[in-house]
C-alpha cells in the first residue's frame, strides 16, 4: 500500500527532477523487492532551496553497513545521483524496524 504526500511542482531544474525521480524509484523498488513491507510512504516537498524526498517503509529493514556494494549497488547508485546534484542522502534502517531514505537535493545548485 502506497501513502503519498506530494507537491505538484517543486520548481527544480529538469536534471534535479530526473535525479529525484530516479532515487524515489530505486527506494520504492528496494522496499518492494527486499523489504517485505506492507506500507510505503513517499513524500516530496520543497524546503526553500531544496527538494526533500522521503521514502519509508514498515518492512524487515537491514543493516546499511552490511550491504555488499559489489553485488548490490542500488544504495550506491542513489547516493551518487544525489551527490551529483550537490545533495545529501541519508538512510536509516535496522533489522525488523523498516527503512527510511531521505534525499535533499538543491533545486538549482549546491545546498547552502
Amino acid at each position: 500500500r502506497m501513502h503519498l504526500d506530494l507537491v505538484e511542482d517543486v520548481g527544480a531544474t529538469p536534471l534535479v527532477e530526473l535525479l529525484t525521480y530516479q532515487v524515489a524509484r530505486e527506494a520504492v523498488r528496494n522496499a518492494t523487492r527486499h523489504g517485505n513491507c506492507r506500507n510505503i510512504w513517499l513524500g516530496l516537498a520543497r524546503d526553500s532551496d531544496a527538494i526533500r524526498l522521503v521514502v519509508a517503509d514498515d518492512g524487515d529493514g537491514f543493516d546499511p553497513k552490511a550491504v555488499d556494494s559489489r553485488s548490490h549497488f542500488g544504495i550506491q547508485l542513489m547516493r551518487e545521483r544525489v551527490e551529483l546534484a550537490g545533495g545529501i542522502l541519508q538512510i536509516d534502517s535496522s533489522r525488523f524496524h523498516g527503512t527510511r531514505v531521505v534525499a535533499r537535493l538543491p533545486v538549482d545548485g549546491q545546498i547552502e
Side-chain angles (χ1 to χ4, degrees):
R1 182 172 214 187
M2 291 287 296
H3 307 272
L4 304 175
D5 183 14
L6 308 171
V7 295
E8 287 185 26
D9 184 9
V10 292
T13 65
L15 176 60
V16 171
E17 289 181 359
L18 175 62
L19 294 171
T20 302
Y21 164 76
Q22 291 172 331
V23 170
R25 181 185 62 197
E26 184 65 26
V28 169
R29 182 182 299 163
N30 287 345
T32 58
R33 279 189 182 168
H34 308 295
N36 194 31
C37 61
R38 295 184 60 135
N39 294 283
I40 298 173
W41 292 268
L42 187 122
L44 182 67
R46 179 164 175 172
D47 302 332
S48 64
D49 65 342
I51 296 171
R52 181 178 176 86
L53 169 71
V54 178
V55 180
D57 68 64
D58 60 357
D60 293 339
F62 66 102
D63 178 358
K65 294 177 185 173
V67 174
D68 180 3
S69 61
R70 292 173 291 163
S71 60
H72 299 282
F73 45 84
I75 292 173
Q76 183 61 31
L77 188 57
M78 285 190 292
R79 188 171 311 284
E80 288 174 2
R81 285 176 169 151
V82 170
E83 290 174 356
L84 176 67
I88 300 164
L89 180 74
Q90 179 181 358
I91 299 175
D92 296 316
S93 186
S94 61
R95 295 291 294 156
F96 312 114
H97 292 97
T99 300
R100 180 177 165 95
V101 176
V102 179
R104 189 162 185 257
L105 298 101
V107 292
D108 60 357
Q110 295 290 327
I111 293 176
E112 298 180 16

